[in-house]
Amino acid sequence: MEKVRLLVLEFAKDIHALWRYGAPFPTFLKLIGTLVLCLIVMMPLLYPLCVLVFTYFTCEGLFLRGLAQYTKFPEGFTFGVATAAHQIEGAWNVSGKSENVWDRLSHTRPWMIADGTNGDVACDSYNRYQEDVDALAHIGVDFYRFSLSWSRILPTGRVDFVNPDGIRYYNALLDALAEKNIEPLVTLFHWDLPQTLQDLGGWANPKMIDYFRDYSDLCFREFGDRIKSWITFNEPYEICEDAYGDDKKAPAIDSHGVGNYLCSDTLLKAHAESYHLYNETYRPTQNGRIQISINSIWYEPADPENAEQVALAEVANQFKFGWFAHPIFTEAGGYPTVMVENVALQSKAEGLPKPRLEQFDDYWIKRIRGTSDFLGINHYTTHLITGAGVDPIAKSPSWLKDIGAVTSLKVGTDSASEWLRVVPTGFANFLRWCKSSYNDPPIYITENGFSDRGTLLDYGRIKYFNDYLSEILNVIYDDGVNILGYTIWTLMDNFEWRAGFSERFGLYKVDITDPSLPRTPKLSVEYWKQLCATRELPQEDRFKEPAERRRV
Ligand code: PNW
């Protein structure tokens, strides 16, 4: 011990001398020697410490994720629930409402609906809207996203006749929401086009730009004093590709590779006109905001190390999300370059004199650019890209063939909907991509949800919400993605389009065999009630599948 004391003393003296008088050469050598000695002695301690510090700083994200999952939502983050008119209202021909394209499809081609059901009665929300509002208040959400039925308000589709009962119905719903302090977020068009307008060509007819502007005008004027948040279109991809480029949605035109691109041209212009009308005529007095909700299937390479797959996944994302996001949310505007190029190449190979996808001219590029106050995202799932080529399910010509990639559903776990694979990390990758591709826009998630067959103990749905919400928290806190709100799809089991009532997304179960259409809360109602009250992801075991609970 005495030896160590002397050594330390000498070392201190050396340092003192070094500072005071400058160091003679041998003292300096001794000093270095002592330092090296000290380092060797302390090495076993220092080494693990260095490794720990180094790993912490290089893998900080992993550390935080592994040790402490984020659970708390930022101040001001809002939660809501979404529905759509045709899926819940029923009363398809009551009090002046006219036929829409989904009424026409389900009545004339019932075999196209999986279980032969239709939207004639649906959840009867036309008569039971007060029950819906009570359920929303019970859950404790901040806002309710619902859509207006165009053919209920304007039976001819045009403003030549306004149906007073349509106005009355939505006024009553808005009043009921105000009573419970629930903000309305209202979609002008959620797929239920008046059949009269479809008879004129629907979204493939450029005249629809005027009809949609007139319809928006009426809605802003009638309801804009109480509606501060508007969505022009719900999921333009599903409208243009599934309804005009395919037969997956009404009116099932199936003009693959042609009608889909005519539709996007009209729809984006109609959206822009509606935005400008609101912006110039109504915003100054009504002070609201207006946006579009674009949906994605996010594409990822099956093998992230495979450069070709990585490049093709980017192409597919540009074709899917970029088709509608690029014209509105980028500096350059217009369709994504790769989309323009691919369709031009394919069209040439087909011997066509000009591309099937017409580009916007300068006037429309400018008119469409920047026409959304927020980026509205509907997201459910991720699919994979396995390589270049023509997807086996692609028609010719078609949007899918124009991409030039083969897709696969072999990813994540399943749901009751074939297309809906559960891949929470895909959501995080997609959100980060939106931040970098569209200049860090403020984002609202306007739909996200999970389908099963209608069980009351819906652990699968709760796990889906919990895992997807957890990824939202990760990208907010780790990547600074600017997400301001989240919307659950959906309040209650409802008419799931061509799947009828066979795929159920609701927080409430609806027994459609009972004429009184009773709504029964599923376990997910409890989960959301707690989340809305605490603004934190519930961690309790009762929300987990019994096999996944902690063992004591
Ligand atoms: C949305 N996909 O549709 C619609 O906005 C809702 O009306 C619908 O009920 C809900 O999601 C559930 O299907 C989508 O293939 C349909 O990725 C298909 C996809 C996404 C959304």
Side-chain angles (χ1 to χ4, degrees), residues 5-225:
R5 204 179 67 85
L6 284 176
L7 214 78
V8 172
L9 217 71
E10 198 174 325
F11 182 55
K13 260 200 253 157
D14 278 351
I15 291 194
H16 179 249
L18 186 75
W19 277 102
R20 194 85 205 257
Y21 316 109
F25 193 61
T27 321
F28 185 65
L29 266 188
K30 256 202 297 182
L31 191 71
I32 298 278
T34 326
L35 257 173
V36 169
L37 245 162
C38 280
L39 269 178
I40 291 174
V41 173
M42 286 173 70
M43 202 56 126
L45 257 181
L46 263 176
Y47 185 67
L49 201 77
C50 285
V51 172
L52 219 69
V53 171
F54 179 76
T55 338
Y56 180 80
F57 282 110
T58 46
C59 315
E60 196 187 347
L62 280 180
F63 245 76
L64 294 177
R65 243 162 259 182
L67 298 178
Q69 282 272 358
Y70 300 118
T71 54
K72 187 111 189 111
F73 284 85
E75 197 70 34
F77 193 96
T78 55
F79 293 98
V81 179
T83 61
H86 188 77
Q87 294 180 274
I88 64 163
E89 282 180 8
W92 80 279
N93 58 356
V94 169
S95 300
K97 177 185 165 294
S98 73
E99 186 188 30
N100 67 38
V101 291
W102 278 94
D103 295 321
R104 175 65 65 90
L105 181 100
S106 52
H107 292 157
T108 58
R109 291 181 275 177
W111 60 87
M112 288 184 75
I113 311 293
D115 57 2
T117 57
N118 54 44
D120 290 6
V121 179
C123 305
D124 196 26
S125 287
Y126 177 77
N127 294 305
R128 292 166 207 271
Y129 66 88
Q130 188 61 54
E131 273 179 65
D132 297 351
V133 174
D134 291 344
L136 293 163
H138 174 76
I139 301 166
V141 285
D142 305 304
F143 64 88
Y144 178 42
R145 178 182 167 213
F146 63 95
S147 78
L148 304 176
S149 159
W150 191 334
S151 64
R152 192 180 295 290
I153 296 172
L154 297 175
T156 64
R158 301 179 312 272
V159 282
D160 53 2
F161 171 65
V162 181
N163 180 20
D165 183 69
I167 305 290
R168 179 207 58 80
Y169 173 64
Y170 293 112
N171 276 335
L173 174 57
L174 288 168
D175 291 346
L177 289 168
E179 182 90 5
K180 302 278 184 192
N181 246 328
I182 300 168
E183 282 278 326
L185 166 58
V186 177
T187 314
L188 287 163
F189 185 73
H190 199 126
W191 307 357
D192 45 355
L193 189 69
Q195 185 60 41
T196 48
L197 298 182
Q198 185 52 46
D199 292 342
L200 299 175
W203 294 109
N205 176 2
K207 187 70 192 159
M208 282 295 299
I209 302 165
D210 290 348
Y211 292 147
F212 185 70
R213 193 210 290 110
D214 294 347
Y215 163 61
S216 324
D217 193 11
L218 175 77
C219 297
F220 297 150
R221 194 165 55 240
E222 289 290 338
F223 310 120
D225 56 334

